[in-house]
Amino acid sequence: AALAHSVLAEKGGEKAVSLSKWKDKIRKDWPTVEVRSVLASNEGNSVQVGDSISVRATVHLGNLAPEHVTVQVYYGEELNNRILGPLTSDLELKQKVEKGLYEYEGVVSAKDSGSYGLSVRVIPTHPNLTQAHELRLIAWAK
């Protein structure tokens, strides 16, 4: 917290003002963020240790730039439609499909055998946030 304070306070608080404006924009534009589709290999199937699961997601960001978000696959062992001990892995931006619409891809490796579940989520990202969920904004795949 002390380090974050000193960084944000530099040059008369320029970074703090910039971060505040960025947060306002994110909050204003966040309702348009939507995970439009998710395609995954092995989805709903049992996997073995070391199996790779490819994930592709199409995400609508509206007026937000891709560098202001992180798109993640949220995955783990599934029991009764709940993901137990979830892990996350960032997906990589692959291409802009059209204005505001982007495609992300990634691969996750199964660390255990069994039934795996996964979802995709989008969270805001900025280098001066003190923690990933500071804004309490998450857009989940439906």
Side-chain angles (χ1 to χ4, degrees):
L3 177 59
H5 177 274
S6 66
V7 168
L8 293 174
E10 289 176 1
K11 297 182 182 175
E14 282 180 14
K15 287 185 180 178
V17 170
S18 175
L19 179 61
S20 178
K21 288 178 182 177
W22 178 86
K23 286 180 179 182
D24 288 344
K25 178 173 176 34
I26 294 295
R27 286 184 184 110
K28 178 180 149 283
D29 291 338
W30 196 257
T32 65
V33 175
E34 176 185 25
V35 179
R36 294 258 172 105
S37 68
V38 177
L39 296 172
S41 65
N42 291 336
E43 186 174 13
N45 296 324
S46 289
V47 296
Q48 301 298 317
V49 173
D51 282 356
S52 293
I53 303 166
S54 299
V55 180
R56 183 173 38 178
T58 304
V59 179
H60 182 263
L61 297 179
N63 291 324
L64 297 179
E67 60 268 18
H68 293 176
V69 301
T70 298
V71 178
Q72 299 176 316
V73 60
Y74 180 94
Y75 67 101
E77 180 185 358
E78 181 181 47
L79 180 64
N80 298 324
N81 292 322
R82 289 189 56 213
I83 296 175
L84 309 175
L87 301 168
T88 60
S89 179
D90 294 352
L91 296 178
E92 182 180 328
L93 176 63
K94 284 299 180 181
Q95 68 176 338
K96 180 178 181 177
V97 177
E98 61 186 53
K99 186 177 192 290
L101 192 64
Y102 301 87
E103 191 170 275
Y104 290 81
E105 292 181 358
V107 176
V108 295
S109 295
K111 296 189 191 262
D112 298 302
S113 295
S115 179
Y116 262 61
L118 66 83
S119 188
V120 171
R121 68 183 185 179
V122 183
I123 59 174
T125 299
H126 190 282
N128 295 120
L129 290 177
T130 56
Q131 54 120 334
H133 300 291
E134 184 174 330
L135 295 179
R136 307 287 187 246
L137 297 172
I138 301 176
W140 288 95
K142 295 176 183 165

